[in-house]
Amino acid sequence: MPTAEEWANAIEKEGFGLKIDTSYEEEANSDGFYGFRPCKYYDLEDVGYELDILLRMENLEDFEDWYEMFPKVKQYDSAVIFGVYSEYDAYAAMVAGCVLAKNSGGIYFDLDEPVDLNELCLQCKDIDHKLKTNIG
């Protein structure tokens, strides 16, 4: 799992207009990192997602549930879960999740369905282009 700053830099390096909140690492508590994270996506400021970073050691039951669907999960020690409320929140979570999975060698699944990272990256680039031209 990269640091929040490394994650934000990777999103920028990929050319996306998404700016994620990086302050969550300073707010860690004994349960880990979680909570609403505001973002900015081009001119959209009312964007964000619920972020929950689960560590395998503290969430064995969740990881065991995923093993059945995604055997590759066994090699990871953490999982990042996004919760969204609006269409733009979903776009921000897709971009953030795609870049995170791509740069950390992770996997991406949505509603218990695996998603091909190459296909997801293309979808994210398309969404980003539409947001840039229509809003940015």
Side-chain angles (χ1 to χ4, degrees):
M1 181 74 194
T3 67
E5 197 65 38
E6 290 169 336
W7 188 6
N9 290 339
I11 291 169
E12 183 178 348
K13 184 178 178 185
E14 290 284 334
F16 292 108
L18 178 66
K19 306 291 183 215
I20 65 169
D21 172 63
T22 59
S23 66
Y24 67 83
E25 288 182 329
E26 300 161 11
E27 301 170 4
N29 60 44
S30 61
D31 295 326
F33 305 116
Y34 63 90
F36 182 77
R37 297 293 154 208
C39 302
K40 184 174 181 183
Y41 207 151
Y42 292 110
D43 288 342
L44 295 171
E45 293 188 21
D46 259 353
V47 179
Y49 44 74
E50 292 287 333
L51 178 68
D52 194 1
I53 301 175
L54 304 178
L55 301 177
R56 174 198 302 279
M57 293 181 295
E58 298 164 5
N59 299 278
L60 285 174
E61 200 171 292
D62 290 317
F63 276 79
E64 287 171 0
D65 289 344
W66 295 323
Y67 292 163
E68 294 175 26
M69 295 176 286
F70 310 104
K72 193 175 177 183
V73 168
K74 292 179 182 181
Q75 68 186 356
Y76 299 108
D77 60 358
S78 61
V80 178
I81 300 173
F82 297 92
V84 298
Y85 302 102
S86 74
E87 180 180 17
Y88 294 126
D89 295 346
Y91 295 158
M94 279 177 63
V95 168
C98 177
V99 172
L100 178 62
K102 181 179 173 186
N103 285 280
S104 66
I107 59 175
Y108 185 104
F109 53 95
D110 185 19
L111 302 174
D112 296 332
E113 293 293 326
V115 177
D116 179 78
L117 275 180
N118 292 324
E119 183 180 315
L120 180 64
C121 287
L122 291 174
Q123 290 174 355
C124 288
K125 291 285 185 184
D126 185 50
I127 288 167
D128 190 81
H129 176 73
K130 287 177 183 173
L131 289 177
K132 183 177 185 178
T133 56
N134 292 330
I135 297 169

